[in-house]
Amino acid sequence: MTPDHTHDHSSCCGGGDHHHHDQSHHQAAEGRADLSGPAESPITVEVTRGSLVESVHRARACIVDAGGHVLARWGDIDAPVFPRSAIKSLQAIPLVESGALDSFGLGDEELALACSSHNGEARHTELVRSWAERVGLTLDDYECGAQIPYDPATAEDLVRRGEAPTAFHNNCSGKHSGFLTTAKHKGERLKGYVRYEHPVQQRILGVMEQMTGQDLFGAPWGVDGCSIPTIGIPLGAIAYAMARIADPVDLPDARAEAVTRIAAAWGRHPFLIGGTGTFDTALMEAADGAVLVKGGAEGVGCAVIPEQGIGIALKIEDGAARAREVALAALIRSTRALTDAQWARVPQLLTTPLLNRAGTQVGEVRPAAGWPG
Amino acid sequence: MTPDHTHDHSSCCGGGDHHHHDQSHHQAAEGRADLSGPAESPITVEVTRGSLVESVHRARACIVDAGGHVLARWGDIDAPVFPRSAIKSLQAIPLVESGALDSFGLGDEELALACSSHNGEARHTELVRSWAERVGLTLDDYECGAQIPYDPATAEDLVRRGEAPTAFHNNCSGKHSGFLTTAKHKGERLKGYVRYEHPVQQRILGVMEQMTGQDLFGAPWGVDGCSIPTIGIPLGAIAYAMARIADPVDLPDARAEAVTRIAAAWGRHPFLIGGTGTFDTALMEAADGAVLVKGGAEGVGCAVIPEQGIGIALKIEDGAARAREVALAALIRSTRALTDAQWARVPQLLTTPLLNRAGTQVGEVRPAAGWPG
């Protein structure tokens, strides 16, 4: 790996504002070529049943460092991908950087929840409720829509009590609390904060551009499950942004400080990021802070490995969550960020058993041959 | 298309017991080559969000006639596929052929339910309950496992009343009623009827071999969601079996009679096959009997077009139901079995809108370019 942090135009990760055209980009390109590894085609996750591989998922993925060097890549990492909820950590930057978090006396837990896709369990919804109260927000301010909690026990409990879920149960309610808190702090109109042209979303767009090193003006975008814009970004650039969370050395001071606080909150509160039985929570609890992970809808996953200063991004081409989880675990394992003893706590994340309705194991979800590590 | 119904070994559909080695298989092979159409690679279903194709599903599929001629094919149709619940119609053959259905005074509705993956709505579970009572079966005889109903309203109702789901709610309870009824009629031990070596499953294996024209002894198999064996069968051979339901002219009399009764029951009771809001029910209700469809887990789908004597089988490589539905609709549309007016009743089956949590349409699931029709 070249220690040269110069970005070059040919890199998937763009270059921010440094030295696009100097000679060193040729060295960087050579370094990248050396580091790209043998696998350029998509890697696959297979779903077995009995003696047969029943279904197959194709993954595009890459591992990138904070200098924008692609350490490994599989499949097309240049095409735009909607990062969905996998980059909530980036969307939380303005909450910290604007001073909104501190000005309302909010802390690490709220910040973790802003980065979460939570299960809607009591600990999550109570935290959202108290946060909203502290900032002076009501349920009506939330534009994410109501959602029945992901956690089955909590969902059943709601139904049993005859209660309808609210926006607080929405897995994105922490993120939306962050949006609303920032808007309130800035004195912006709350109504319409989910819209592309609202200052809240425009501010995030700017953050995304800077963190990914991409010009996102005119980038393809769509409306996410919680009604905010999701912006199409090359997978390599998403991994690059994650690497910059791991190693913010190239970032302006205020942003470096913000991402450092976000990374700390993200790592310290695995339960708030997901909840009971979720992949993100289980993996981070096993990792003791050695890795930060976040899944998103349609098979997108991100990871930050602070110790190594690298970021990982992947997209399951068909969008399947079961494949995203196993693929993300395999890629993280290849980095050696976790010890064997740590993996031994969560073997089901590396190879997921498939049970039938009688509870019998009938197959598994596993990386196919050819994966690193 | 050659009118010659001779099967040849090179056909995906095997040959049953007719003239494997005569000269005509060369003609048949030529005929097949003519009919295979331009598309040999998998076709794809795309999931859009805003201006981007967010996810892509790959489908293998074929359309086959009752003579075993492949009229159209996409991707590998020779590799074994677990047909899962898509071939419940074949698994119902012994129920009719053995005389069990008639001897217990059961009729069309029970036969349709034997072919179903039902929603667990009251109409389904009441029918299973009365069927079990008539045959002298109790819940304890059912080895499919309990399952919370697919129908959300019914599921909520159960939870609200504090009731646990039973095996009757299992989407396969009609099929299992058929298994148990046949075993009872034959005087076989009920216990263990889900096991590969039990006469119930061995009888079905024999039926599957004959209907698909495949030697399935030693074929790969796995345990299905409801604990019975699912046998790996080439996709082309699955479509061939469906074509023989459409046109049973080559079948022995008793079997031809059985599949004719099954097809009639399947077509007459769309609601029993699935239920409220299901693809199979909606498509068959729109089709007024012109097509029989049945989906299975992991992206398998089958269709029978009686009027044309053809069968369709498809497998979404990654197993996604959303893609199976749109792909099956596209293939059926290509056969012109439904009129435009019939399709106009169910536009959402051809292109499925994707709504977010606020109920806004944010994208759609649709066939990519290159599909027939």
Side-chain angles (χ1 to χ4, degrees), chain A residues 49 55-56 223 298 317 322, chain B residues 49 55 223 298 317 322:
Chain A
R49 180 175 298 266
S55 296
V56 174
V223 177
E298 292 294 333
E317 293 186 353
R322 66 182 181 185
Chain B
R49 180 175 298 266
S55 297
V223 177
E298 292 293 336
E317 294 186 354
R322 65 183 180 184

Side-chain angles (χ1 to χ4, degrees), chain B residues 98-243:
Chain B
S98 70
L101 189 79
D102 290 336
S103 79
F104 285 104
L106 303 163
D108 247 25
E109 295 204 346
E110 287 83 1
L111 188 50
L113 207 65
C115 301
S116 80
S117 295
H118 65 71
N119 257 352
E121 294 173 79
R123 192 170 155 208
H124 303 113
T125 50
E126 282 311 311
L127 189 55
V128 178
R129 206 182 309 274
S130 69
W131 178 352
E133 209 173 280
R134 184 179 280 255
V135 177
L137 302 166
T138 70
L139 257 180
D140 286 345
D141 294 318
Y142 286 75
E143 297 179 355
C144 49
Q147 181 201 341
I148 193 87
Y150 284 143
D151 180 57
T154 309
E156 280 204 9
D157 217 48
L158 263 187
V159 171
R160 203 170 285 127
R161 293 200 310 265
E163 289 176 24
T166 71
F168 287 166
H169 296 97
N170 187 305
N171 78 86
C172 299
S173 64
K175 179 181 69 178
H176 281 252
S177 298
F179 294 159
L180 285 161
T181 300
T182 306
K184 194 111 178 178
H185 177 69
K186 289 276 201 180
E188 290 157 2
R189 188 178 134 95
L190 300 189
K191 199 164 170 51
Y193 73 89
V194 296
R195 296 173 62 86
Y196 185 93
E197 60 276 13
H198 190 281
V200 162
Q201 301 306 331
Q202 285 296 305
R203 199 178 294 120
I204 286 168
L205 188 61
V207 166
M208 298 290 292
E209 287 197 313
Q210 190 269 340
M211 290 296 289
T212 62
Q214 297 286 308
D215 176 5
L216 299 176
F217 181 79
W221 66 282
V223 177
D224 211 325
C226 67
S227 295
I228 69 160
T230 183
I231 313 292
I233 303 173
L235 200 62
I238 296 170
Y240 172 53
M242 291 298 126

Side-chain angles (χ1 to χ4, degrees), chain A residues 49-51 54-57 82 84 147 150 171 220-221 223-225 227 298 315 317-318 322 356-357, chain B residues 49 51 54-57 82 84 147 150 171 220-221 223-225 227 298 315 317-318 322 356-357:
Chain A
R49 180 175 298 266
S51 54
E54 184 169 24
S55 296
V56 174
H57 302 275
F82 287 144
R84 308 294 300 273
Q147 181 201 343
Y150 284 144
N171 79 87
W221 67 281
V223 177
D224 211 326
S227 295
E298 292 294 333
K315 162 76 182 174
E317 293 186 353
D318 60 71
R322 66 182 181 185
N356 75 359
R357 297 195 204 288
Chain B
R49 180 175 298 266
S51 55
E54 183 168 24
S55 297
V56 174
H57 302 276
F82 287 145
R84 309 294 300 273
Q147 181 201 341
Y150 284 143
N171 78 86
W221 66 282
V223 177
D224 211 325
S227 295
E298 292 293 336
K315 162 77 181 173
E317 294 186 354
D318 61 70
R322 65 183 180 184
N356 76 359
R357 297 194 206 286

Side-chain angles (χ1 to χ4, degrees), chain B residues 6-16 20 25 28-29 32-33 36 40 61-81 208-209 211-216 232-244 311-313:
Chain B
T6 303
H7 308 144
D8 69 274
H9 254 137
S10 68
S11 161
C12 67
C13 304
H20 284 322
H25 83 270
R32 207 177 59 241
S36 64
E40 280 283 335
C62 58
I63 305 177
V64 175
D65 72 15
H69 305 98
V70 178
L71 308 184
R73 63 193 295 171
W74 297 268
D76 182 357
I77 62 168
D78 299 317
V81 165
M208 298 290 292
E209 287 197 313
M211 290 296 289
T212 62
Q214 297 286 308
D215 176 5
L216 299 176
I233 303 173
L235 200 62
I238 296 170
Y240 172 53
M242 291 298 126
R244 300 178 87 181
I312 297 174

Side-chain angles (χ1 to χ4, degrees), chain A residues 68-87:
Chain A
H69 306 99
V70 178
L71 309 185
R73 63 194 295 170
W74 297 268
D76 182 358
I77 62 169
D78 299 317
V81 165
F82 287 144
R84 308 294 300 273
S85 289
I87 48 78

